[in-house]
Amino acid sequence: MHAQGNDCGGTSSSTIGAPPIVKTSAPVTHAEGIALSNATWALLNKHQQAIRVQSKTKLERYINSNPPLGQRSFPASDRSGGKRMDIDNYGCSPNFMV
């Protein structure tokens, strides 16, 4: 999970994110996913957060929906420079279970 965009390091592919959760046998829980979202959020400055409020809300709603494996992007309200929140959901089993 990471924030991406030119405001995160100068290019549209620049990212800011907390270290990923890596598990080999058990799925990532909803609570762990939300905690990772909050950890990434804490790394952003006030301006970066302000334009990603809706992105974070949508991302966390997605986590709570028991999503399939894969990647998903949630564009920021200011889409210039590739600003968004991304989640990569891969692993040995479905993640974000209750």
Side-chain angles (χ1 to χ4, degrees):
M1 188 171 316
H2 59 268
Q4 186 163 337
N6 62 0
D7 64 337
C8 293
T11 68
S12 61
S13 62
S14 299
T15 63
I16 295 173
I21 298 170
V22 178
K23 291 181 148 186
T24 58
S25 61
V28 176
T29 65
H30 290 158
E32 290 170 322
I34 299 300
L36 183 59
S37 173
N38 289 331
T40 294
W41 192 253
L43 297 173
L44 302 178
N45 65 38
K46 298 270 187 220
H47 179 72
Q48 291 166 327
Q49 288 177 350
I51 64 170
R52 289 177 175 85
V53 169
Q54 292 177 348
S55 299
K56 183 177 188 289
T57 300
K58 290 177 182 178
L59 182 142
E60 291 178 355
R61 193 175 304 135
Y62 180 72
I63 288 171
N64 286 319
S65 73
N66 298 330
L69 297 179
Q71 181 180 3
R72 182 89 187 260
S73 294
F74 300 90
S77 58
D78 172 2
R79 296 178 183 207
S80 66
K83 297 172 190 161
R84 62 186 192 264
M85 296 281 293
D86 290 345
I87 185 169
D88 298 319
N89 179 16
Y90 296 105
C92 61
S93 63
N95 288 311
F96 308 121
M97 307 302 283
V98 179

